[in-house]
Amino acid sequence: MRFSLLSLLRESLRGHRGWPAQWRDASPKPAYDVVIVGAGGHGLATAYYLAAECGLRNIAVVEKGWLGGGNTARNTTVIRSNYLWEESEAIYEHSMKLWQDLSHALNYNVMYSPRGVMMLAHTVHDMQVIRRHVHANRLAGIDNELLSPREAQAFCPILNIGRDIRYPVLGAALQRRGGTARHDAVAWGYARAASALGVDIIQNCPVTGLRRQQDGAIAGVETARGFIAAPKIGVVAAGHSSVLMAMAGVRMPLESFPLQALVSEPVKSVMPCVVMSNTIHAYMSQSDKGELVIGAGTDAYPSYSQAGGLHIASDTLEAVCELFPTLRRLRMMRSWGGIVDVTPDRSPIIGRTPVPGLFVNCGWGTGGFKATPGSGHVFAHTIAKGEPHPIAAPFTLDRFRTGRLIDEAAAAAVAH
Amino acid sequence: MLLIPCPFCAMDRPEAEFRHAGEAHLTRPPDPAAADDAAWADFLYHRANPRGVIAERWRHVHGCGRFINVLRDTVSDRILASYRPGEKRP
């Protein structure tokens, strides 16, 4: 059923009892043209664009848990495209353009809100880095502007720009088109649109092995619900990418870390934008419900625990209290951890692998949500054609052998 | 926060005293000039990243200052053993 003013009116008169399920919870068929492993935002977006733009219909998305229950449900929903290098600017900006029309394209409100993302500088070195980023972005035609502390406070009135704190605000970079979107709605919107195009979304179906043919090419996936044959498989498994790729005998340049976030009790609107600070590790925005959504750092060691140390979260809260003193008495309601797969150059890996027919989209590290539409779009084209989409081409797995790294350590907002 | 047994100090010390130093038992190519790009990529970038027991190095920066090896389960974060560099993995 399409969402329209008419359908909303009709359902509101009927007490909203007529809405059907938004997607089919499918059972696996014996064979598909493409199997995507992982029903998070990136995996569902890949399936959607494969069906909508690449002319493929016989597609399955297999998920070990439930749809959008991993990092898609565990992130802080920040969207921006102000990365340093041309390759990154191209892919994040591609994503940004898709965000702008996504609700319309999916006929599902993903609550994209371009409210502005402001990155703070606290040291002379920070100032040099954000100046360099602003200039690089403007040369690439991406909006990013330098603000003085006063201008930063005018944009976010609760920001403390006093000189008497440990790390005073010296300036900021602002991307006005940056903002947030509703993470669950992104997963649901893509699932609904993909399901309507015939994609099978198979939940509670953990992959236990990747079967290869005698010539080495991929044959299909072994799952807890039986073997599924497919000539092409796309692994989009975030923190568990190493584990899955090891099933096909491929060693990855990845380490998985717990990354934490927390939300406060809901309060009236106090925070008109997203504020991030890399140096003292705090970033924050306010959800439509009024909760302050706070991103903390990664733990120091690789782990699959989906928890993370309390000292990491409390460091972030100390920084938040200093930057936003008006929030000092606020109580935190929930905290959680997601497992993020981090590459040595902090840039993703999208494309082919040494195994014919096996494709991988991983390594988004601490900032994959913003890339969901663009990542899915270029990965779908890469799988359909069997060769990298031009925007995905620099992000090969092979770059760690050739040395053509894309070093975004400074642009990734989470210090590692 | 982990409680890490330091084999030099012979004490359990909090994680905050240590700095993580990556996967243990990685060997630099013995003849660097003869190693090809794939061998270098393996040494520099490719990691086991296991869901299970990992052998990793920590440096006791705010203690004895020495590197140690630790076996840890990456699912439960439980530490199974710690031993000195050069010793065999238990």
Side-chain angles (χ1 to χ4, degrees):
Chain A
M1 184 195 280
R2 275 189 73 77
F3 290 110
S4 65
L5 188 60
L6 202 67
S7 67
L8 280 174
L9 276 175
R10 195 175 56 228
E11 282 307 317
S12 57
L13 292 174
R14 286 161 43 176
H16 293 288
R17 278 189 291 266
W19 295 113
Q22 297 295 301
W23 65 83
R24 290 175 299 113
D25 188 19
S27 290
K29 289 192 287 187
Y32 290 92
D33 293 339
V34 181
V35 169
I36 303 295
V37 181
H42 290 240
L44 292 165
T46 306
Y48 167 72
Y49 290 113
L50 275 170
E53 294 190 7
C54 303
L56 290 159
R57 283 291 193 273
N58 194 20
I59 303 165
V61 184
V62 295
E63 164 61 43
K64 71 170 173 180
W66 63 94
L67 184 154
N71 291 354
T72 301
R74 293 164 186 270
N75 67 84
T76 49
T77 76
V78 175
I79 295 169
R80 60 187 178 90
S81 65
N82 50 356
Y83 279 69
L84 180 61
W85 300 105
E86 283 170 14
E87 296 88 345
S88 322
E89 286 165 338
I91 193 161
Y92 290 106
E93 185 59 24
H94 180 54
S95 204
M96 181 74 100
K97 297 251 160 62
L98 289 169
W99 278 116
Q100 287 164 358
D101 191 43
L102 193 60
S103 295
H104 179 239
L106 299 179
N107 181 237
Y108 201 88
N109 187 4
V110 300
M111 298 162 77
Y112 167 58
S113 159
R115 57 183 74 176
V117 172
M118 190 160 73
M119 302 177 88
L120 303 178
H122 303 276
T123 63
V124 171
H125 174 73
D126 280 359
M127 282 305 290
Q128 291 166 345
V129 168
I130 67 167
R131 251 191 218 112
R132 185 179 176 206
H133 274 72
V134 166
H135 293 322
N137 292 151
R138 295 178 76 153
L139 283 171
I142 292 169
D143 70 309
N144 199 4
E145 55 196 275
L146 204 60
L147 302 185
S148 70
R150 271 187 194 291
E151 289 167 327
Q153 196 190 38
F155 196 69
C156 182
I158 59 170
L159 180 67
N160 177 9
I161 55 166
R163 304 290 296 180
D164 57 343
I165 61 176
R166 175 65 185 85
Y167 287 103
V169 176
L170 300 185
L174 172 63
Q175 185 174 32
R176 290 185 192 271
R177 285 182 308 147
T180 60
R182 173 79 197 163
H183 50 358
D184 296 326
V186 174
W188 299 335
Y190 273 121
R192 173 175 173 271
S195 184
L197 292 169
V199 172
D200 278 359
I201 298 164
I202 304 159
Q203 303 180 91
N204 299 312
C205 184
V207 169
T208 53
L210 295 172
R211 193 188 289 179
R212 295 170 69 172
Q213 295 167 2
Q214 297 223 309
D215 62 357
I218 206 79
V221 289
E222 312 271 4
T223 75
R225 294 168 71 175
F227 176 70
I228 305 172
K232 288 181 176 179
I233 291 177
V235 172
V236 199
H240 286 71
S241 300
S242 295
V243 177
L244 273 153
M245 295 302 285
M247 293 175 186
V250 181
R251 262 167 78 83
M252 298 295 287
L254 292 173
E255 288 187 293
S256 297
F257 293 90
L259 177 68
Q260 292 181 78
L262 18 128
V263 290
S264 73
E265 57 192 329
V267 288
K268 285 188 177 171
S269 185
V270 289
M271 186 88 187
C273 58
V274 181
V275 173
M276 3 190 32
S277 162
N278 195 343
T279 299
I280 55 175
H281 212 291
Y283 57 101
M284 190 164 84
S285 62
Q286 192 169 17
S287 75
D288 293 333
K289 270 190 289 184
E291 301 155 334
L292 290 153
V293 183
I294 298 167
T298 58
D299 274 293
Y301 49 86
S303 172
Y304 290 84
S305 65
Q306 284 196 333
L310 185 61
H311 61 294
I312 304 284
S314 64
D315 275 0
T316 290
L317 290 177
E318 282 166 17
V320 166
C321 288
E322 195 157 71
L323 284 178
F324 307 101
T326 185
L327 305 178
R328 276 186 181 158
R329 311 269 315 255
L330 210 60
R331 280 164 298 194
M332 292 297 129
M333 285 206 307
R334 296 187 298 280
S335 75
W336 61 90
I339 304 302
V340 298
D341 45 332
V342 177
T343 58
D345 62 357
R346 312 293 183 248
S347 288
I349 298 166
I350 312 164
R352 290 182 296 205
T353 69
V355 179
L358 180 64
F359 298 81
V360 69
N361 182 352
C362 66
W364 290 96
T366 55
F369 177 77
K370 66 176 80 64
T372 305
S375 154
H377 187 258
V378 299
F379 193 46
H381 283 262
T382 302
I383 293 176
K385 293 213 179 88
E387 56 188 68
H389 183 282
I391 292 177
F395 297 96
T396 56
L397 179 55
D398 201 40
R399 74 176 185 271
F400 297 97
R401 188 184 59 79
T402 62
R404 291 194 66 85
L405 304 188
I406 304 158
D407 182 4
E408 290 290 356
V414 175
H416 302 290
Chain B
M1 187 175 296
L2 303 176
L3 209 51
I4 301 174
C6 175
F8 292 103
C9 305
M11 274 189 282
D12 289 347
R13 304 300 299 172
E15 178 197 329
E17 289 186 9
F18 294 81
R19 189 163 302 152
H20 189 257
E23 195 178 311
H25 308 303
L26 296 172
T27 10
R28 191 179 157 86
D31 181 4
D36 62 1
D37 290 347
W40 279 113
D42 223 33
F43 170 67
L44 290 171
Y45 302 124
H46 294 159
R47 296 292 176 264
N49 196 26
R51 185 183 161 87
V53 178
I54 189 175
E56 62 190 2
R57 302 194 310 155
W58 288 84
R59 188 170 173 223
H60 197 178
V61 280
H62 302 298
C64 61
R66 283 190 266 204
F67 281 94
I68 63 168
N69 290 333
V70 170
L71 288 187
R72 179 174 55 87
D73 186 323
T74 59
V75 180
S76 64
D77 282 342
R78 206 166 293 248
I79 290 175
L80 309 171
S82 73
Y83 51 104
R84 298 179 183 204
E87 287 176 12
K88 259 188 103 68
R89 176 178 166 156

